[in-house]
Amino acid sequence: MPIELNEEMVRQRIARRIAREFHDGDVVNLGIGIPTLVSDYIPEDVRVIFQTENGAVGAGRAPDKPDLRFIGAGGRPLTILPGGCFVASDLSFGLIRGGHVDATVLGALQVSQEGDLANWMVPGKIVPGMGGAMDLVVGARRVIIATTHTTKKGEAKILRKCTLPLTAKGVVKLIVTEFAVFSIEKGQMKLLEIAPEVTLEDIKAMTDADFTVVDPLITMQGTEEEKA
Amino acid sequence: MAKKVIKPVLSAAEAVKCIKPGMSVIIGGFNYGGIPYTLVDALVESGVGELTLIANDTAYEDVGHGKLVANGQVKKVVASHVGLNKKTGQFYMEGKLELELCPQGTFVERIRAGGFGLGGILTPTGVGTVVEEGKQVLEIDGKKYLLELPLRANVALIRAYQADRMGNLTYFGTNRNFNPIMATAADYVVAEVDSVLEVGELDPNEIVTPGILIDALVVKGDNYYANRT
């Protein structure tokens, strides 16, 4: 069975792997939680332009001295980089829905093998609202999911069909967990990479979905950089 | 009715007197940014109730227009996200508050439609989800869209950076967010600003909202967040 990775290792591993997905010039929107960490691992020779729903284009790291006039979508202070700008919400979502955002990285409650995503509500619980998530997954050219492989109780999050209310149907292109990387193309899920401490059998046991396995299956990229 | 060319600069308490019980109020802001804190505090102080609140989120229960919800002044909320204000969820679950959740990009387009004279907008956002329920689905060039209807309010309370006496407005940082769009979608629009300049002192190239949309101006007060945004 998989070894115990601590929570912080899990978050950093997923973020580090996703950071390898971007190309120079990509416009990227990061959700809250693990996705926010992705910006820490962008390679130096790749310039990614981070966009936030509340209207920053070209956002940089949190400043030393927070200024609430410059915040990200999660309310955290940010800086605006040279060449960045501010737009109003209509243009911000025009950029998102209009296909001008190359990728969005979001968390998930459940993902289906056909790329359906559920990440905004659990029936019976207080509903926080979808915010910008439904627009992001419909509009961004590539939807990348950053999620733990299973729930804290060990239940599969990658499923044949989502049981929770959907955020959108058939939108997810890549799933990165602490143990595996899957692509979804034309409704078909494929295992691309596997973490060093697990076997294909372990992945099958943790994943309640049908998938093919790429040949050759490689070790999850970035795990070699992890420090013990 | 034509708006005045030179806008009155009012106290927040005077400005919110236009808001009567049962009215709809559209309020700018996203999380902490771009909320007209001084106006909202005056509205809380007034105690006017039965309001329909149209805002991206309901802030926090002790911050900005979140206080309107916590204070029981709101009967209906139209928003994209209410998770940061515990009272919104609690009152909704208790049946004390009507809640209409709307994807954020749809929310802003509905307000734009309301302010721009459009009968609605078509968006792919929400197709195949609960957001689709009860809505007309149109297929255009083989792709499905939801028909989403316009949103307008009796009064808009917005936040800008600088104004001139004609009500022309500029914005600062991520405080901009929904404010310029909301300025178009209400019968009476009040803008809270850092400062009011004389006519001609703002560069026409930097003005985002033309003063013809604005009814009254209020200079921000010394509320903790008004000071920091």
Side-chain angles (χ1 to χ4, degrees), chain A residues 96 104 106 117 119 132-140 143 145 167-169 171-172:
Chain A
I96 288 167
T104 186
L106 295 170
L117 172 66
N119 74 348
M134 285 192 177
D135 298 283
L136 277 164
V137 297
V138 163
V143 177
I145 296 302
T167 309
K169 282 177 83 78
V171 292
V172 176

Side-chain angles (χ1 to χ4, degrees), chain B residues 75-191:
Chain B
K75 67 170 182 197
K76 181 179 179 182
V77 168
V78 185
S80 83
H81 196 277
V82 296
L84 300 172
N85 187 331
K86 288 189 200 111
K87 294 290 181 199
T88 312
Q90 182 195 324
F91 290 169
Y92 170 67
M93 297 297 257
E94 291 171 0
K96 292 178 186 163
L97 183 74
E98 197 183 333
L99 177 60
E100 181 179 339
L101 285 171
C102 180
Q104 196 169 137
T106 301
F107 177 77
V108 69
E109 283 301 303
R110 289 179 66 194
I111 296 166
R112 201 175 63 87
F116 283 39
L118 301 175
I121 58 113
L122 298 177
T123 177
T125 303
V127 169
T129 76
V130 295
V131 171
E132 183 180 311
E133 285 171 14
K135 288 178 188 148
Q136 204 175 331
V137 182
L138 286 92
E139 194 163 316
I140 294 166
D141 285 341
K143 190 171 172 180
K144 285 182 180 169
Y145 297 87
L146 304 185
L147 173 63
E148 294 276 6
L149 302 178
L151 272 177
R152 277 187 69 86
N154 296 116
V155 176
L157 304 180
I158 66 162
R159 174 66 196 276
Y161 175 48
Q162 289 185 312
D164 66 19
R165 286 300 310 276
M166 287 179 74
N168 292 301
L169 303 176
T170 64
Y171 296 89
F172 202 89
T174 45
N175 284 347
R176 180 182 306 216
N177 58 62
F178 294 87
N179 289 296
I181 299 88
M182 289 178 168
T184 69
D187 302 332
Y188 191 84
V189 182
V190 187

Side-chain angles (χ1 to χ4, degrees), chain A residues 15-82:
Chain A
R16 177 180 286 146
R17 175 62 190 81
I18 290 174
R20 297 185 172 219
E21 288 298 310
F22 307 126
H23 303 102
D24 199 51
D26 275 358
V27 180
V28 175
N29 182 298
L30 301 177
I32 52 172
I34 299 173
T36 308
L37 303 175
V38 170
S39 61
D40 293 340
Y41 292 103
I42 304 295
E44 274 181 20
D45 57 343
V46 177
R47 183 162 166 186
V48 170
I49 297 171
F50 289 106
Q51 185 261 1
T52 71
E53 289 104 300
N54 62 326
V57 181
R61 286 168 196 283
D64 297 332
K65 196 164 171 262
D67 180 341
L68 283 179
R69 298 176 300 176
F70 309 108
I71 60 171
R76 297 204 319 180
L78 52 75
T79 50
I80 194 82
L81 297 174

Side-chain angles (χ1 to χ4, degrees), chain A residues 158-189:
Chain A
I158 305 168
L159 308 168
R160 285 179 184 84
K161 285 254 181 250
C162 296
T163 56
L164 294 172
L166 295 182
T167 309
K169 282 177 83 78
V171 292
V172 176
K173 297 289 192 293
L174 195 77
I175 306 168
V176 178
T177 79
E178 70 275 41
F179 297 126
V181 180
F182 295 96
S183 67
I184 300 173
E185 276 176 55
K186 293 176 183 155
Q188 176 65 56
M189 193 163 88

Side-chain angles (χ1 to χ4, degrees), chain B residues 161-162 168-172 176 197 201-210:
Chain B
Y161 175 48
Q162 289 185 312
N168 292 301
L169 303 176
T170 64
Y171 296 89
F172 202 89
R176 180 182 306 216
L197 308 179
E201 286 189 315
L202 282 178
D203 179 348
N205 292 296
E206 290 179 1
I207 293 167
V208 175
T209 296

Side-chain angles (χ1 to χ4, degrees), chain A residues 68-217:
Chain A
L68 283 179
R69 298 176 300 176
F70 309 108
I71 60 171
R76 297 204 319 180
L78 52 75
T79 50
I80 194 82
L81 297 174
C85 66
F86 298 107
V87 299
S89 301
D90 57 340
L91 180 51
S92 182
F93 278 87
L95 296 176
I96 288 167
R97 266 192 328 266
H100 310 288
V101 171
D102 295 290
T104 186
V105 183
L106 295 170
L109 296 169
Q110 295 177 335
V111 193
S112 85
Q113 63 190 34
E114 292 177 350
D116 298 349
L117 172 66
N119 74 348
W120 77 285
M121 72 172 283
V122 179
K125 293 202 176 169
I126 286 177
V127 180
M130 65 290 278
M134 285 192 177
D135 298 283
L136 277 164
V137 297
V138 163
R141 290 178 172 272
R142 196 154 181 249
V143 177
I144 299 172
I145 296 302
T147 180
T148 54
H149 206 102
T150 61
T151 66
K152 285 198 172 126
K153 289 180 187 162
E155 299 154 330
K157 296 179 82 170
I158 305 168
L159 308 168
R160 285 179 184 84
K161 285 254 181 250
C162 296
T163 56
L164 294 172
L166 295 182
T167 309
K169 282 177 83 78
V171 292
V172 176
K173 297 289 192 293
L174 195 77
I175 306 168
V176 178
T177 79
E178 70 275 41
F179 297 126
V181 180
F182 295 96
S183 67
I184 300 173
E185 276 176 55
K186 293 176 183 155
Q188 176 65 56
M189 193 163 88
K190 189 189 282 182
L191 178 64
L192 303 180
E193 299 173 21
I194 185 170
E197 63 281 334
V198 290
T199 65
L200 180 55
E201 291 312 309
D202 294 329
I203 297 293
K204 283 180 177 168
M206 291 188 282
T207 311
D208 197 7
D210 302 316
F211 57 88
T212 59
V213 181
V214 75
D215 184 23
L217 179 62

